[in-house]
Amino acid sequence: INLWRGLLVWLGGMGLIVLAVAVLPLLGIGGRQMFKAEAPGPMKDSSLTPRMAETAKGLWAVYTVVTAVCILLFLWGGMNWLDAFVHAFSVMGLGGFSTHDASFGYFDSPLLEGIAIVFMLIASLNFATHYLAIHGRSLRAYKDDPEARWVMLTLIGSVLFIAIYLHYHRVYPDFATALRHSAFSVVSIASTTGLSTVDYNLWPMFAPLWMLFLCSFATSAGSTGGGIKMIRALILYKQVYRELLRAMHPNAVWPVRIQGDPVPQNILTAVLAFGFAYMCLIVAMTLLLVFSDLDVLTSFSAVVASINNTGPGLNQVGPSTTYEVLTDFQTWVCTAAMLLGRLEIFTLMVVLTPAFWRR
C-alpha cells in the first residue's frame, strides 16, 4: 500500500495527461490541447520539440532518470529498498508521503536530509528547463529560465533567515542544528512536499507562517509542486509595480516584461483572474471552516496547505498530527481545496459551470 501511494504521487507529479499525449498521437488523437490544459503556468504555448509526443517522452525521460538517481542515493545513505523507493517517489512528486509515522524524522540522518533537500529543489524547478539543460549539455537553460533564479534565491534566502531567527530565539542549542532543521523544513514546506523531521508547530509562530506563505508560490511552472507558481507571482508583482508607475506617470508606456519579453495582455488578464480566484477561494474556504467551529489558525493553515497540496498545516493539523481531527464537513472542504489546487482551479471550475455542458 505504501509503495502504491508513493507511485501515485510520482505519476501524478508530472501529470498523467502528459504521459497520455505520448500515446494518443499514435492512435490518431491529438494531444496538444490536453497538454496545455495540464501544464501549469502561463507559458503553455512553447514546445520543447516539434511534436507533442516527443515533448512528453523527453520530460518523462528526465523525470525517470532523476528519480532513479534519487533512489540510488537514498539506498547509499542507509535506507532499505522500500523506504528508498517510496521516499524518492514522494520527493520527486513533491507529495510528502512517508513509510513511517515520524515522516522523514524517523531516519534522523543529516546525510539523507541533505539528499532529500537537493532533490526537492530539483523537483521545484521546471522539468522543461532540466530537459533543455541535459539535451543542450549546458547550464544556460537555467540562466534563461525566468523562474529558476527566483525560486532558488527565495528558498536559500528563507533557509538562512529562518535559521538565524530560530538561533536568535534559542530554539536549538547551536546555529548548525538550527540551520539543519531550517533547511529541511523550509524547503519541504515551500516546495509543497510536506515531509517533516521536527514539529515546527512548536517554533515561534512567524517561522511556520512564513513557510506556509512560501508554499503558495515558491515552485516553478512545469515542476511537480503546487501553489500559483513563481511565474504567476512574478507577473502579479510586475503588474502591481506597473500600476504604481502609471499612478505617478499616467502617460508612460511601461509593458510588463519577463526575461526581456513583453507579456501579452491575454496572459496578464488570465494571471490576474487566477490570482483573484485563488485568494477568494482561500478566504471563502477558511470562513467555511471557521463557521464549522474550527479555530482560525487551523482553518487558514488547513486551507492553504490543501489548496497548495502541501500536506501539514498548523495547530491542530500540524506535522505531528493528521487531518483525522477534522469533521466530515471540514474534510470535504479540504478535499475540494486539494482538487482545485492540483487541477489549477480553472480546469476544475469550468467543468462545474452549466455553460460547459450546453451544446
Side-chain angles (χ1 to χ4, degrees):
I1 291 174
N2 275 317
L3 185 60
W4 175 242
R5 291 167 76 234
L7 185 60
L8 287 178
V9 168
W10 186 75
L11 291 172
M14 182 64 74
L16 287 170
I17 296 178
V18 181
L19 178 62
V21 298
V23 179
L24 291 178
L26 302 177
L27 305 176
I29 304 172
R32 181 171 295 274
Q33 291 80 9
M34 294 179 67
F35 178 78
K36 288 169 69 176
E38 170 69 5
M43 306 305 182
K44 299 184 178 186
D45 293 316
S46 59
S47 296
L48 308 181
T49 60
R51 297 188 59 184
M52 198 64 241
E54 294 302 315
T55 297
K57 289 175 183 176
L59 292 173
W60 272 103
V62 172
Y63 193 49
T64 304
V65 169
V66 176
T67 303
V69 174
C70 184
I71 291 171
L72 293 174
L73 287 176
F74 277 154
L75 288 169
W76 173 70
M79 287 188 184
N80 60 39
W81 280 97
L82 176 63
D83 286 344
F85 269 87
V86 172
H87 286 89
F89 288 161
S90 187
V91 165
M92 291 308 300
L94 298 181
F97 282 155
S98 176
T99 49
H100 303 281
D101 289 345
S103 190
F104 214 86
Y106 169 85
F107 304 103
D108 192 23
S109 168
L111 174 61
L112 289 174
E113 290 167 20
I115 295 170
I117 288 170
V118 169
F119 283 92
M120 284 189 286
L121 290 173
I122 291 173
S124 298
L125 299 178
N126 193 332
F127 273 86
T129 303
H130 296 320
Y131 173 87
L132 292 173
I134 294 171
H135 189 262
R137 299 180 182 179
S138 171
L139 296 178
R140 184 176 178 81
Y142 297 104
K143 181 181 178 182
D144 294 339
D145 186 341
E147 294 177 283
R149 73 171 70 93
W150 286 108
V151 169
M152 298 306 292
L153 284 173
T154 299
L155 293 179
I156 294 172
S158 294
V159 165
L160 294 174
F161 175 67
I162 294 300
I164 294 170
Y165 180 78
L166 295 177
H167 183 62
Y168 174 78
H169 284 275
R170 303 182 185 278
V171 177
Y172 296 105
D174 55 76
F175 181 75
T177 305
L179 181 62
R180 171 190 170 185
H181 294 306
S182 169
F184 190 90
S185 297
V186 169
V187 173
S188 178
I189 299 303
S191 65
T192 72
T193 308
L195 292 169
S196 59
T197 54
V198 293
D199 186 2
Y200 51 78
N201 220 6
L202 303 176
W203 292 356
M205 187 49 61
F206 173 81
L209 278 176
W210 179 255
M211 296 191 302
L212 204 64
F213 168 68
L214 290 179
C215 80
S216 297
F217 64 91
T219 58
S220 296
S223 71
T224 56
I228 67 173
K229 310 297 190 299
M230 182 61 76
I231 191 68
R232 288 196 184 102
L234 288 173
I235 290 175
L236 288 171
Y237 162 75
K238 288 176 179 287
Q239 174 67 1
V240 169
Y241 184 66
R242 182 173 75 163
E243 292 305 314
L244 289 175
L245 289 175
R246 280 181 170 178
M248 295 184 290
H249 309 285
N251 297 323
V253 177
W254 194 283
V256 173
R257 295 180 180 273
I258 295 292
Q259 202 73 356
D261 298 322
V263 179
Q265 185 59 44
N266 63 320
I267 290 181
L268 279 176
T269 303
V271 170
L272 288 170
F274 185 93
F276 179 74
Y278 175 81
M279 290 184 288
C280 285
L281 284 169
I282 289 177
V283 172
M285 290 182 168
T286 299
L287 290 175
L288 276 176
L289 293 183
V290 173
F291 175 76
S292 66
D293 295 328
L294 196 63
D295 67 274
V296 174
L297 181 58
T298 302
S299 299
F300 173 72
S301 65
V303 169
V304 173
S306 294
I307 203 168
N308 294 325
N309 300 114
T310 303
L314 300 175
N315 207 11
Q316 295 185 52
V317 292
S320 63
T321 60
T322 70
Y323 282 67
E324 189 179 12
V325 298
L326 303 184
T327 65
D328 288 348
F329 173 76
Q330 293 162 353
T331 303
W332 278 115
V333 172
C334 291
T335 301
M338 286 188 285
L339 286 171
L340 284 163
R342 183 73 282 183
L343 298 176
E344 295 278 304
I345 298 178
F346 287 154
T347 307
L348 180 60
M349 290 179 69
V350 74
V351 176
L352 301 178
T353 58
F356 179 81
W357 299 100
R358 293 196 196 113
R359 290 190 177 183

